[in-house]
Amino acid sequence: MNGIVQENKQPAANGMRQNDKMEEGKIPAGYGSKFCCQWTVATTEDEKIHNERAEQNEEKLKQEEREGDEANNKESTEQKLFNIATELLQTEKAYVTRLHLLDQVFCSRLTEEAGRGSFPPEVIRNIFANISSIYSFHSQFLLPDLENCITHCPGLGKVLLQHAPFLRMYADYVRNFDHAVELVRTWTERSSAFRNIIQDIQSQGICGKLTLQHHMLEPIQRVPRYEMLLKDYLKKLPEDDPDYEITQKSLQTISMAATHSNSAIQKAEGLKRLLEIYEMVGEEEVVNPTNEFLREGRLLKLAARNTSAMERHLFLFNNFLLCCSPKFSLVGQRFTVRCRIGMDGMQVQQTTNEDHPYTFQISGRERILELQARWIKFCPQVIREAIDVFQKKNDTFRLASRELTTEELGKRAPRWIRDNEVILCMSCMEPFNALTRRRHHCRACGFVVCWKCSDYKVALEYDGYKLNKVCKACYAILTGPRGEGLDGEKRRMLDSKASPGPTDSVMSGFLQYGDNPQTWQRVWSVLTRAEPPVLYLYSVPQDLKPLFTIPLLGCSVEAFPQAFQGQSCFRLTQSKTRHTFTCDSRDIKRSWLSALKVLTQIPAGPNQSMQKSISVHTIH
């Protein structure tokens, strides 16, 4: 039994060892797998718990960091605002010290010396202007309020808004500054007493080794300094702060004060320049507060009869142009005014001249000039820009004086043309006089007409349907069917009376004049039976003086200019001058060409029978 048992156990033991040897280094599948699976599951659950706790801790740390950053940012913003306010206060104290030096030291000692008769007292008043008022305002009002504001109740907006309007007093000081500096220089050279006082004060420590002129400059720089600091303060100030809106208003007021001071400087400089030009040209109209000098320059004026050119000096203002010629003078540059052209109605266009490149023409109600630009600073574009600015500034007046439409005629009160603007009846073109042909206004369109042309009455809606005097053209429109606009019927009635009569004209109508479509000028063109025949160009049919006059003898007519293929254009060429016209339609072009070809073929001493064979046309 024992042997069997031992024998039976031994193989098992031996088998066990054998298997161990065969699979040495390997864990039995059943035992090892069960243990590893349980360990892996436990480890995964622990990781989840650990990760969740880590995320919570991390989020908590981030939250604490954010709260800390917000607190730090808040403290940083408050500190920045406080620093700006402190800087404003410190600079205000230093500024008041400088004002005290100017008013209580320089001005007081010089005034005391002027009382002894060393120099005129008005010199001191002109040098320091209103510096006493500025010093009193800052020392007695603004500085104490700033100190109280920063010490007890922070917030600059309310304090500056309260005092900002008083900063406009700087405009007088700024305007007088150049004159004051010049007086200091003059009297330092002229008066030893004046010079000694200035040098004595400047040698003291309170002056900081700076001159009187340097200290006089500080009030000029102070208002822009307020504006700069307040802009910086407003950038740092949160929008939800109670002081934000008030600070915005105070900044606007201070900016207006700064602009007011700057405009005073510009106005003073502009007036000074006007006086200088007046001394050069002797034209009293130049010295006018409404005038604004823009540009000046030398150009060549081309003669109308030949190819010669003369030097001219142009002064461009905001509302007119002066053309001058230089004259000899021993006391500086002097000019003789040749002509004055108003900006109202002025037009500029490029011209073509083989002998003189870069030429352009200025046409106004008073005169026409053909010029050659010698420098870019006085090119046609400069004048065009001035014209555009003038027209934009007068938009309100042009809107009020715009021509009424048929629908508005009688329903809206018109702008009356002033009596002194016209010398002829705007309907029949007869001259006015004080006895037999007096001026009357049409209550519908505002035109100035004579008694014969205003002997009509119509009930006008804008006047409560009361009967009012109207001109013949308005009467025809208001009492007839309103199928056609005023731009058609009334203009045609007035144009037919404004243009030369049948005995004078061959053809009339509107044409576009110019070589460049961007600078075309719409002109009322009248072809006459003068001796020799002439083509007159007007701004409007009612004008008495033409813009251009083109003699037709010796002119060649080109029906299809190469540069304008496909357009209803024709060109008149005379010697080296070319005139290009554009018609509204091909039929109108054919009518003009037929009349022009006949007239340009008439020899000197015109053939009357040929003239009589030409019919009269008015083209609209």
Side-chain angles (χ1 to χ4, degrees):
M1 286 287 296
N2 296 334
I4 295 173
V5 172
Q6 292 175 356
E7 190 178 357
N8 290 339
K9 290 180 179 179
Q10 187 174 0
N14 293 336
M16 220 32 207
R17 294 192 193 99
Q18 188 176 359
N19 291 336
D20 291 342
K21 291 181 179 179
M22 291 177 61
E23 300 181 3
E24 185 177 357
K26 293 184 179 180
I27 300 174
Y31 182 81
S33 297
K34 182 179 180 180
F35 178 79
C36 289
C37 180
Q38 292 175 350
W39 182 84
T40 303
V41 170
T43 302
T44 304
E45 292 177 354
D46 291 341
E47 285 182 350
K48 287 183 178 179
I49 295 172
H50 175 73
N51 292 337
E52 289 176 357
R53 290 177 178 176
E55 290 177 358
Q56 292 176 358
N57 292 334
E58 185 176 357
E59 184 65 27
K60 186 177 181 180
L61 290 174
K62 289 182 178 179
Q63 182 66 24
E64 292 176 354
E65 289 178 359
R66 283 196 296 267
E67 292 176 355
D69 291 341
E70 290 177 359
N72 292 334
N73 290 336
K74 186 176 182 180
E75 292 178 0
S76 177
T77 301
E78 292 179 353
Q79 184 62 40
K80 290 178 181 179
L81 292 173
F82 179 76
N83 291 341
I84 296 173
T86 303
E87 182 181 358
L88 178 60
L89 178 60
Q90 297 301 326
T91 56
E92 183 68 15
K93 290 179 179 179
Y95 178 58
V96 170
T97 302
R98 301 302 183 194
L99 291 177
H100 178 272
L101 176 66
L102 287 172
D103 182 52
Q104 300 298 315
V105 180
F106 278 106
C107 184
S108 296
R109 286 192 56 181
L110 289 172
T111 302
E112 182 181 352
E113 185 64 30
R116 300 189 182 101
S118 301
F119 38 83
E122 58 267 18
V123 172
I124 309 305
R125 289 194 294 268
N126 291 333
I127 289 176
F128 294 97
N130 61 336
I131 196 67
S132 296
S133 300
I134 295 175
Y135 171 62
S136 299
F137 165 70
H138 284 272
S139 62
Q140 299 178 21
F141 299 97
L142 183 55
L143 179 58
D145 286 350
L146 283 175
E147 291 176 332
N148 181 63
C149 166
I150 295 174
T151 305
H152 298 95
C153 49
L156 294 176
K158 185 176 180 180
V159 174
L160 293 178
L161 182 62
Q162 179 182 358
H163 295 290
F166 295 97
L167 297 178
R168 293 192 177 184
M169 71 173 68
Y170 278 83
D172 294 333
Y173 184 87
V174 170
R175 190 184 301 113
N176 183 68
F177 179 75
D178 289 339
H179 179 56
V181 172
E182 181 63 22
L183 284 176
V184 171
R185 185 192 64 80
T186 300
W187 284 95
T188 300
E189 297 175 355
R190 183 179 300 180
S191 172
S192 59
F194 186 95
R195 179 173 59 253
N196 292 336
I197 292 175
I198 298 297
Q199 292 177 351
D200 179 59
I201 299 174
Q202 289 178 167
S203 64
Q204 299 176 15
I206 192 174
C207 267
K209 298 182 180 180
L210 298 176
T211 63
L212 170 62
Q213 291 88 331
H214 182 90
H215 294 297
M216 291 172 60
L217 185 62
E218 290 210 14
I220 303 292
Q221 302 169 336
R222 189 55 186 169
V223 176
R225 178 75 173 176
Y226 288 134
E227 186 179 15
M228 182 188 67
L229 288 173
L230 201 56
K231 284 181 179 179
D232 194 17
Y233 181 82
L234 193 62
K235 288 180 182 178
K236 306 293 189 300
L237 192 65
E239 294 187 4
D240 57 351
D241 193 283
D243 197 42
Y244 187 84
E245 185 176 352
I246 299 177
T247 305
Q248 273 189 325
K249 293 181 180 179
S250 62
L251 177 59
Q252 293 175 358
T253 308
I254 290 177
S255 298
M256 289 178 60
T259 303
H260 192 65
S261 298
N262 293 334
S263 63
I265 297 175
Q266 296 174 358
K267 187 176 181 180
E269 292 177 350
L271 182 58
K272 179 181 178 181
R273 184 56 182 154
L274 292 179
L275 291 171
E276 293 174 352
I277 297 175
Y278 167 70
E279 292 178 357
M280 289 189 289
V281 302
E283 188 78 14
E284 292 185 1
E285 187 182 0
V286 170
V287 188
N288 189 315
T290 61
N291 295 339
E292 179 184 352
F293 172 71
L294 301 177
R295 194 73 62 89
E296 67 175 306
R298 288 181 294 168
L299 297 92
L300 292 179
K301 177 186 176 297
L302 306 185
R305 297 182 179 180
N306 49 50
T307 59
S308 63
M310 297 160 286
E311 184 174 317
R312 291 289 184 265
H313 197 97
L314 267 61
F315 294 93
L316 180 64
F317 297 85
N318 62 323
N319 48 8
F320 65 91
L321 174 73
L322 286 182
C323 178
C324 308
S325 60
K327 66 178 181 180
F328 177 76
S329 174
L330 297 175
V331 290
Q333 202 170 22
R334 295 290 184 269
F335 299 95
T336 300
V337 177
R338 294 290 181 177
C339 67
R340 176 196 178 281
I341 303 177
M343 198 68 70
D344 189 14
M346 182 186 294
Q347 295 181 345
V348 181
Q349 61 181 1
Q350 300 282 354
T351 57
T352 303
N353 192 303
E354 296 180 359
D355 296 324
H356 299 278
Y358 312 114
T359 59
F360 63 97
Q361 190 176 66
I362 300 175
S363 60
R365 300 184 185 276
E366 302 89 351
R367 187 75 178 271
I368 300 174
L369 299 175
E370 187 174 5
L371 304 166
Q372 180 185 14
R374 300 174 64 182
W375 293 278
I376 191 67
K377 70 177 184 178
F378 218 118
C379 61
Q381 184 61 28
V382 173
I383 305 177
R384 289 195 189 101
E385 291 174 358
I387 295 173
D388 292 341
V389 172
F390 177 85
Q391 291 175 347
K392 289 177 181 179
K393 287 184 177 180
N394 289 273
D395 276 345
T396 304
F397 301 101
R398 290 201 304 272
L399 180 63
S401 61
R402 66 184 175 89
E403 196 173 82
L404 297 172
T405 63
T406 303
E407 291 74 16
E408 294 175 321
L409 192 66
K411 298 180 180 179
R412 183 170 67 87
R415 185 191 76 89
W416 283 21
I417 305 297
R418 294 186 179 90
D419 288 348
N420 58 2
E421 291 181 3
V422 293
I423 60 173
L424 303 178
C425 172
M426 299 180 70
S427 180
C428 66
M429 305 305 292
E430 292 293 331
F432 290 113
N433 61 67
L435 297 177
T436 61
R437 196 175 296 275
R438 301 176 62 184
R439 291 173 171 83
H440 299 268
H441 278 89
C442 171
R443 267 59 174 179
C445 65
F447 283 15
V448 183
V449 294
C450 64
W451 68 272
K452 288 184 179 180
C453 297
S454 63
D455 195 19
Y456 304 89
K457 288 190 176 182
V458 174
L460 300 180
E461 181 179 343
Y462 78 84
D463 195 26
Y465 293 97
K466 296 179 182 178
L467 290 176
N468 284 268
K469 279 189 174 184
V470 295
C471 64
K472 183 178 180 180
C474 290
Y475 179 80
I477 295 172
L478 292 171
T479 58
R482 295 199 178 192
E484 184 178 14
L486 183 63
D487 291 342
E489 183 176 351
K490 182 172 182 181
R491 181 179 292 167
R492 186 158 54 246
M493 295 176 67
L494 295 176
D495 290 351
S496 63
K497 296 177 181 180
S499 58
T503 59
D504 298 327
S505 67
V506 174
M507 181 173 291
S508 61
F510 279 106
L511 297 173
Q512 299 286 355
Y513 176 61
D515 293 330
N516 188 350
Q518 296 181 353
T519 59
W520 273 347
Q521 180 180 1
R522 186 173 176 83
V523 293
W524 176 257
S525 308
V526 179
L527 195 57
T528 65
R529 288 193 181 99
E531 296 183 9
V534 177
L535 176 62
Y536 294 98
L537 306 181
Y538 300 86
S539 293
V540 293
Q542 289 79 19
D543 280 357
L544 298 178
K545 188 176 181 179
L547 294 174
F548 309 98
T549 302
I550 305 175
L552 296 179
L553 283 183
C555 280
S556 60
V557 183
E558 186 179 354
F560 300 98
Q562 294 183 356
F564 298 91
Q565 294 295 329
Q567 300 185 26
S568 301
C569 299
F570 64 88
R571 177 177 289 166
L572 298 177
T573 304
Q574 187 179 44
S575 183
K576 297 180 181 180
T577 305
R578 296 179 299 179
H579 306 277
T580 305
F581 298 89
T582 305
C583 305
D584 293 337
S585 66
R586 294 182 179 180
D587 293 336
I588 296 176
K589 175 183 175 180
R590 282 194 292 267
S591 299
W592 278 100
L593 287 176
S594 61
L596 285 168
K597 287 181 179 179
V598 172
L599 289 177
T600 53
Q601 294 172 2
I602 299 177
N607 188 342
Q608 298 296 331
S609 62
M610 184 176 293
Q611 288 190 9
K612 292 180 180 178
S613 65
I614 303 173
S615 59
V616 177
H617 299 278
T618 300
I619 300 176
H620 301 275

